[in-house]
């Protein structure tokens, strides 16, 4: 169930707590192809379904690691909605590890823990440990710490 946060004080109550998970999201070949077009990364393990099925150790195409990372803001928004802000900015990623490839057709979801929340003169710096889980797999796709800045009204 999505958490709705209305203030810095309310946001602060989640520090140190596991939040989530998001819903599962299926990774499609179309998403992978569009990401390849956007990033100009057309490596065959991502976009050539026939060659990947025959030659890849994954027996098919896999999502770009950075595609899986780019899903974090979307999946985070399924977990938490922060109200009374002018904007939210992606500030950075730390300790990022790509731990397991995400095969085309796999479903992923986000789990998070709010590590810290600091008030920087009206801007909230949220440090969030995340894991992108693959449905039916014991090993996560990616793990790390992401930082969002919330500019409260």
């Amino acid at each position: 169930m999505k958490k709705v946060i209305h203030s810095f004080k309310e946001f602060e109550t989640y520090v140190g707590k596991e939040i989530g998970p998001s819903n599962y999201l299926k990774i499609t070949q179309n998403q992978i192809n569009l990401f390849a077009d956007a990033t100009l990364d057309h490596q065959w393990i991502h976009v050539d379904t026939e060659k990947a099925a025959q030659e890849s150790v994954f027996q098919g195409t896999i999502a770009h690691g950075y595609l899986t990372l780019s899903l974090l803001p979307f999946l985070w928004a399924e977990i938490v909605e922060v109200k009374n802000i002018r904007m939210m900015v992606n500030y950075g990623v730390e300790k990022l590890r790509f731990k397991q490839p995400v095969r085309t057709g796999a479903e992923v979801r986000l789990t998070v823990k709010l590590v810290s929340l600091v008030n920087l003169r009206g801007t909230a710096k949220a440090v969030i440990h995340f894991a992108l889980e693959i449905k039916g797999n014991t090993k996560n796709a990616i793990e790390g710490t992401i930082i969002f800045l919330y500019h409260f009204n």
Side-chain angles (χ1 to χ4, degrees):
M1 185 162 170
K2 183 188 273 195
K3 311 285 190 271
V4 179
I5 297 169
H6 297 91
S7 67
F8 179 88
K9 278 244 187 262
E10 199 174 315
F11 206 172
E12 205 171 30
T13 65
Y14 292 99
V15 171
K17 296 179 181 172
E18 299 284 336
I19 312 170
S22 69
N23 293 316
Y24 279 103
L25 176 69
K26 187 173 186 172
I27 304 300
T28 67
Q29 187 63 52
N30 188 53
Q31 285 174 303
I32 294 168
N33 293 344
L34 290 170
F35 190 85
D37 289 344
T39 60
L40 307 177
D41 180 358
H42 292 94
Q43 188 178 165
W44 67 268
I45 63 172
H46 304 302
V47 297
D48 189 333
T49 57
E50 289 179 22
K51 184 174 181 177
Q54 294 173 3
E55 298 181 30
S56 170
V57 297
F58 308 115
Q59 301 173 332
T61 55
I62 59 171
H64 301 73
Y66 290 114
L67 168 57
T68 60
L69 179 64
S70 73
L71 297 172
L72 267 57
F74 170 77
L75 294 171
W76 170 248
E78 285 195 350
I79 298 169
V80 172
E81 180 180 356
V82 182
K83 300 220 178 231
N84 301 317
I85 58 171
R86 290 188 309 273
M87 68 176 162
M88 184 274 283
V89 177
N90 297 315
Y91 186 67
V93 179
E94 300 173 345
K95 301 177 185 173
L96 175 65
R97 296 289 178 264
F98 297 100
K99 300 183 84 165
Q100 182 77 13
V102 176
R103 295 182 173 157
T104 305
E107 294 181 58
V108 296
R109 73 176 180 182
L110 182 65
T111 59
V112 296
K113 178 180 182 180
L114 183 58
V115 176
S116 66
L117 186 72
V118 179
N119 187 345
L120 305 173
R121 290 178 272 142
T123 298
K125 178 182 174 187
V127 177
I128 301 157
H129 180 269
F130 70 87
L132 191 71
E133 299 176 345
I134 305 168
K135 190 175 193 176
N137 198 319
T138 57
K139 195 170 185 181
N140 293 326
I142 56 176
E143 290 182 25
T145 302
I146 193 162
I147 303 165
F148 295 136
L149 297 179
Y150 290 91
H151 300 269
F152 281 90
N153 292 325

